[in-house]
Amino acid sequence: MDIDDIKNMEEFAHIVGISRPTISKYFNDAESVRQTTRLKIEEALKKYNYRPNIYAINQNRKLTKNIGIIVPFLADPFFAEIARFIERRILSLGFTPSLFSAHGDPEIEKTILDTLRSLRPAGVLLAPLGRASDKRYIKDFCRDVPTILFDSNIEGMGEAFVGSDNYSFVSQTVEYLSRTGTPPTFFEMRNPANPNANKRRNSYIAMMEKLELEANFIQVDGNGWAFEEIGRAGALEILKQDALPTNTILCSNDRLAIGFLSACHKLGIQVGRDENSEIRVASHDDHPYSKFTCPSLTTAAHDYESVASYAVETLFKLIEEGGHLKNREEKLFSARLIMRDSA
Amino acid sequence: MDIDDIKNMEEFAHIVGISRPTISKYFNDAESVRQTTRLKIEEALKKYNYRPNIYAINQNRKLTKNIGIIVPFLADPFFAEIARFIERRILSLGFTPSLFSAHGDPEIEKTILDTLRSLRPAGVLLAPLGRASDKRYIKDFCRDVPTILFDSNIEGMGEAFVGSDNYSFVSQTVEYLSRTGTPPTFFEMRNPANPNANKRRNSYIAMMEKLELEANFIQVDGNGWAFEEIGRAGALEILKQDALPTNTILCSNDRLAIGFLSACHKLGIQVGRDENSEIRVASHDDHPYSKFTCPSLTTAAHDYESVASYAVETLFKLIEEGGHLKNREEKLFSARLIMRDSA
DNA sequence: AACGATATTTTACGCGCGTAAATTTTATAT
DNA sequence: ATATAAAATTTACGCGCGTAAAATATCGTT
């Protein structure tokens, strides 16, 4: 008799023998009703699988239980990975995550902001596209919806920022590479979409200065999010004309490094930290596949778990405070150097 | 004067000078109102950025404009890629996609089915976990919600299935490898989670039989979705004991192949189709990174675009027909052999 | 047994919109 | 100008639930 033809809370309340407002209270917070009542309700829930109408609930509640998550490019496993952590965390808190990807397109990012706005979420975790983002649009959104930025910061927007400390990434790789061999040349995109790239460049400059070493750059052209292809094409060009300033390459991120390694293999250039190898390659992010490149990639790892946890925690603090925090905190997590075979 | 303090359709209708039902009609279908009226409304929409309350809309409409998308593991770029195609297609049709990942967990898959059920979507595109899925739960869901399966089929469930023709994948790779060198040994997981894996195995057997060649298998242990790691560990073991039946390896999918290539590099085994190489490695899927492996991976490519388009089209046909199709179509798209350097 | 503190019920209203039917206005053609 | 069809309006009702206030019931306590 698992007849699920119960149409509304009224009917369900009738069956349980309890008033509708009490049922409503139960679904809002199961702990808020008497123990015996709770058992009666949960018993009935097993027999008849009634669930309140989400739309009717959210129409009347000031605060929904939705949490929006926006990432710039979900086909990038880095974002897929961090989104995975965040989703699980939100689910475990009894909220409903809604995941969106801008697919690298600022117009889609705006569309997502619009639909998210009308979802009236309790809060939003936003990793913006960065340079390509419509800043004013995002600002307006943050004004109306409790939002926390993560991964890539935009000065002053959102109630807080949670991400990784780019200086911590670069300083560790630069220090390690300089100490164990020739100083690194920085390999990056000329016009990176992501603001983190600029911070990494500056960190590289600062670190090389501190070590009293000469900073060298290779800047490759290319737009969009096909970093591997951009890195590969750029590396092929440079390597063919034998124009490397030093035989140690530090890529701005792992996806560029994947392209770089691909180019090296293509040209028969052996990469690694052993004596037989011609060049060393290191990078940043600990991309899920950096362990499986050939050779495996020496890199600086994000603390995925901490970034995700802290972002979610901060968001819930924000929600509890009613949508505003006294001062905009910028929380940065340190990187962890992961030594593999490429450098 | 972009005051967006318009609270409801009533107010907005007042401002435009048109009755509320007409406004309602406009938002349902902009073409259904008179041209002059439409212009008046759209003019007002620019000044005051009013948008109808989604929850109130969906509470009353029988059919929402939501489309659910469920994939088994979004951190797998293959699914991220196909989800990307599907999302764009749905957006262009004026519907709202909601993307969910089961994260490899059957319990999460069930939770998603529950929340999706209460979203009352117009339709759902479901790529199930496969072996681990709760079949009865999915069956019940398909009974209540217009659902189309994609990528991985479960016999009889959903109103249709859209995916790739595994035989087309394997027959092409096997034919190519056999013709140009020693016949391939099939490399796979002993207990694959995905039903496609079994079809590929059977296709391999059938194809080898047809070519009158001996079928050889390497089956590695491992559970879950960390295919690269599983492939790597399995390959290391086999390669160390020099136990390859033939010097040509055909991996069930690209992620296993990525692990296999990683193992080869670790052991200094050169992979490729030139004379210097010891073994050849090929695979299936045209994973987004298969172009950047070392060496680049010879593989059979999904027709991502066609699978995504056809799945969405079929879903909309299903929606128009009211949730049921006469007979359950199983549409399979052929693979395209992509010759790169690994075989 | 009487008390106060919770828990529950009753009552009543509102949320923002969909939708159907009957009526009136507008546009198009004759 | 008149007939006709299409579009818009008016009217009226319903959706399923949240929520506030006042009344009542239940509980453990003294």
Side-chain angles (χ1 to χ4, degrees):
Chain A
M1 261 236 274
D2 55 7
I3 314 156
D4 48 356
D5 55 351
I6 299 176
K7 291 198 170 159
N8 50 30
M9 204 177 265
E10 195 77 53
E11 273 189 40
F12 183 68
H14 234 88
I15 289 170
V16 187
I18 293 180
S19 76
R20 186 177 68 74
T22 306
I23 306 282
S24 172
K25 219 178 164 199
Y26 167 83
F27 278 109
N28 234 317
D29 177 9
E31 307 283 343
S32 73
V33 300
R34 199 182 296 162
Q35 187 67 7
T36 57
T37 324
R38 185 178 166 180
L39 289 176
K40 274 197 284 184
I41 295 175
E42 285 170 352
E43 197 107 337
L45 275 178
K46 282 176 192 164
K47 281 184 68 177
Y48 318 85
N49 64 333
Y50 163 76
R51 295 193 53 175
N53 182 307
I54 287 192
Y55 299 108
I57 290 178
N58 287 331
Q59 179 177 13
N60 299 313
R61 247 209 283 267
K62 312 136 212 278
L63 225 57
T64 71
K65 288 221 164 190
N66 299 327
I67 304 286
I69 309 166
I70 312 178
V71 296
F73 199 75
L74 200 48
D76 182 337
F78 165 73
F79 288 110
E81 191 69 6
I82 195 126
R84 191 163 69 99
F85 278 103
I86 291 176
E87 275 203 331
R88 300 196 83 126
R89 195 126 194 93
I90 291 173
L91 278 172
S92 75
L93 290 168
F95 279 65
T96 306
S98 296
L99 176 61
F100 298 89
S101 166
H103 301 308
D105 184 341
E107 284 307 311
I108 295 187
E109 190 173 57
K110 286 163 73 175
T111 305
I112 293 171
L113 257 32
D114 282 345
T115 62
L116 214 41
R117 194 192 283 268
S118 62
L119 277 177
R120 295 210 328 272
V124 169
L125 292 167
L126 167 62
L129 280 170
R131 202 163 48 97
S133 289
D134 186 330
K135 307 286 191 310
R136 250 181 67 189
Y137 217 85
I138 291 182
K139 192 172 187 176
D140 286 351
F141 180 83
C142 291
R143 201 194 44 207
D144 299 340
V145 183
T147 303
I148 281 177
L149 263 54
F150 72 101
D151 178 65
S152 119
N153 197 7
I154 300 182
E155 210 55 54
M157 292 195 193
E159 296 292 320
F161 170 72
V162 181
S164 292
D165 178 5
N166 287 294
Y167 182 77
S168 157
F169 280 71
V170 180
S171 61
Q172 288 186 65
T173 49
V174 169
E175 190 278 331
Y176 165 73
L177 293 172
S178 307
R179 177 164 51 79
T180 57
T182 55
T185 296
F186 201 70
F187 183 84
E188 63 171 354
M189 284 169 71
R190 196 177 307 283
N191 298 306
N194 194 299
N196 289 325
N198 295 321
K199 295 198 172 152
R200 287 177 183 176
R201 174 192 303 153
N202 293 336
S203 301
Y204 168 73
I205 294 173
M207 194 62 194
M208 293 300 273
E209 208 161 284
K210 185 179 161 192
L211 296 176
E212 299 182 348
L213 297 169
E214 187 192 353
N216 287 298
F217 289 92
I218 301 174
Q219 296 188 320
V220 299
D221 290 315
N223 289 305
W225 288 78
F227 298 164
E228 295 85 4
E229 185 57 47
I230 291 167
R232 183 170 195 264
L236 278 176
E237 203 171 319
I238 295 288
L239 291 171
K240 272 179 185 163
Q241 54 198 34
D242 212 10
L244 292 188
T246 71
N247 69 350
T248 297
I249 301 296
L250 178 57
C251 297
S252 181
N253 65 64
D254 283 351
R255 294 183 63 196
L256 283 173
I258 289 171
F260 197 97
L261 291 179
S262 164
C264 288
H265 188 275
K266 182 83 182 172
L267 299 177
I269 299 171
Q270 190 163 339
V271 177
R273 62 175 168 198
D274 54 338
E275 289 107 33
N276 301 328
S277 300
E278 298 175 49
I279 64 174
R280 298 185 299 164
V281 175
S283 181
H284 311 102
D285 279 345
D286 192 31
H287 186 289
Y289 286 164
S290 60
K291 191 178 169 187
F292 304 103
T293 55
C294 301
S296 59
L297 194 56
T298 289
T299 186
H302 287 270
D303 189 347
Y304 286 91
E305 176 69 44
S306 294
V307 171
S309 295
Y310 199 85
V312 174
E313 275 170 31
T314 309
L315 182 61
F316 278 88
K317 198 172 74 182
L318 170 62
I319 293 170
E320 280 170 13
E321 308 250 332
H324 282 290
L325 297 176
K326 280 152 238 145
N327 38 7
R328 186 178 185 279
E329 185 192 10
E330 297 194 357
K331 175 77 173 183
L332 300 178
F333 287 91
S334 292
R336 188 166 48 90
L337 183 67
I338 296 189
M339 281 173 286
R340 298 205 185 94
D341 297 335
S342 71
Chain B
M1 261 235 274
D2 55 5
I3 313 157
D4 48 354
D5 55 352
I6 300 176
K7 292 203 171 159
N8 51 31
M9 204 176 266
E10 196 77 53
E11 273 189 41
F12 183 69
H14 234 87
I15 290 171
V16 187
I18 294 180
S19 75
R20 187 179 66 74
T22 306
I23 306 284
S24 171
K25 220 178 162 196
Y26 166 83
F27 278 109
N28 235 318
D29 177 11
E31 308 281 344
S32 71
V33 301
R34 198 181 297 160
Q35 187 68 7
T36 57
T37 323
R38 184 178 166 179
L39 289 177
K40 275 195 283 182
I41 294 176
E42 285 169 352
E43 197 106 339
L45 275 179
K46 280 175 194 165
K47 280 184 66 176
Y48 317 84
N49 63 333
Y50 163 75
R51 294 192 54 174
N53 182 307
I54 288 193
Y55 299 110
I57 290 178
N58 287 330
Q59 178 176 14
N60 299 313
R61 247 209 283 266
K62 309 138 214 279
L63 225 57
T64 71
K65 287 219 166 193
N66 300 326
I67 303 286
I69 309 166
I70 312 177
V71 297
F73 198 77
L74 200 47
D76 182 336
F78 165 73
F79 287 110
E81 192 69 7
I82 194 122
R84 190 162 70 100
F85 278 103
I86 290 177
E87 275 203 333
R88 301 195 84 126
R89 196 125 195 94
I90 290 173
L91 277 172
S92 75
L93 290 168
F95 279 64
T96 308
S98 297
L99 177 59
F100 297 90
S101 165
H103 300 309
D105 184 339
E107 285 307 312
I108 295 186
E109 190 172 59
K110 286 164 73 174
T111 304
I112 293 171
L113 257 33
D114 282 345
T115 61
L116 214 41
R117 192 193 285 268
S118 62
L119 277 177
R120 297 209 325 271
V124 169
L125 291 167
L126 167 63
L129 279 171
R131 203 163 48 96
S133 289
D134 186 328
K135 308 286 192 311
R136 251 180 68 188
Y137 217 84
I138 291 182
K139 192 172 188 179
D140 285 352
F141 180 83
C142 292
R143 199 194 46 205
D144 300 339
V145 184
T147 304
I148 281 176
L149 263 53
F150 72 100
D151 178 66
S152 118
N153 197 7
I154 299 182
E155 211 57 52
M157 292 193 193
E159 296 291 322
F161 170 73
V162 182
S164 292
D165 179 5
N166 288 294
Y167 182 78
S168 156
F169 280 70
V170 180
S171 61
Q172 287 187 67
T173 50
V174 168
E175 189 279 331
Y176 165 72
L177 293 173
S178 306
R179 177 162 51 78
T180 57
T182 54
T185 296
F186 201 70
F187 184 83
E188 63 171 353
M189 283 169 71
R190 194 178 306 284
N191 297 305
N194 194 299
N196 288 326
N198 295 320
K199 294 194 173 154
R200 287 178 183 177
R201 174 192 302 153
N202 293 335
S203 300
Y204 168 73
I205 294 173
M207 195 62 194
M208 293 301 273
E209 208 162 283
K210 186 178 161 192
L211 296 176
E212 297 181 351
L213 296 171
E214 185 192 355
N216 287 300
F217 290 91
I218 300 174
Q219 296 188 319
V220 298
D221 290 315
N223 288 304
W225 289 79
F227 298 165
E228 295 86 2
E229 185 56 48
I230 291 168
R232 183 170 195 263
L236 278 176
E237 202 172 322
I238 294 288
L239 291 171
K240 273 179 187 165
Q241 56 197 33
D242 213 11
L244 293 187
T246 72
N247 69 351
T248 298
I249 300 296
L250 178 57
C251 298
S252 182
N253 65 64
D254 283 352
R255 294 183 62 199
L256 283 173
I258 288 171
F260 197 98
L261 292 179
S262 164
C264 289
H265 188 275
K266 182 83 181 173
L267 299 177
I269 300 170
Q270 190 163 340
V271 177
R273 61 176 169 199
D274 53 339
E275 291 107 31
N276 300 330
S277 301
E278 296 176 50
I279 64 175
R280 298 186 299 164
V281 175
S283 182
H284 311 102
D285 279 344
D286 193 31
H287 186 288
Y289 288 162
S290 59
K291 191 177 170 188
F292 304 102
T293 55
C294 301
S296 61
L297 195 56
T298 289
T299 187
H302 288 270
D303 189 348
Y304 286 91
E305 176 70 45
S306 295
V307 170
S309 296
Y310 199 86
V312 173
E313 276 171 30
T314 309
L315 182 61
F316 277 87
K317 200 172 73 181
L318 170 61
I319 293 170
E320 279 170 13
E321 309 249 333
H324 283 288
L325 298 175
K326 280 152 237 143
N327 37 8
R328 186 177 185 280
E329 185 190 10
E330 298 193 357
K331 176 76 172 182
L332 300 179
F333 287 90
S334 292
R336 187 166 49 88
L337 184 67
I338 297 189
M339 280 173 288
R340 299 205 183 95
D341 297 334
S342 70

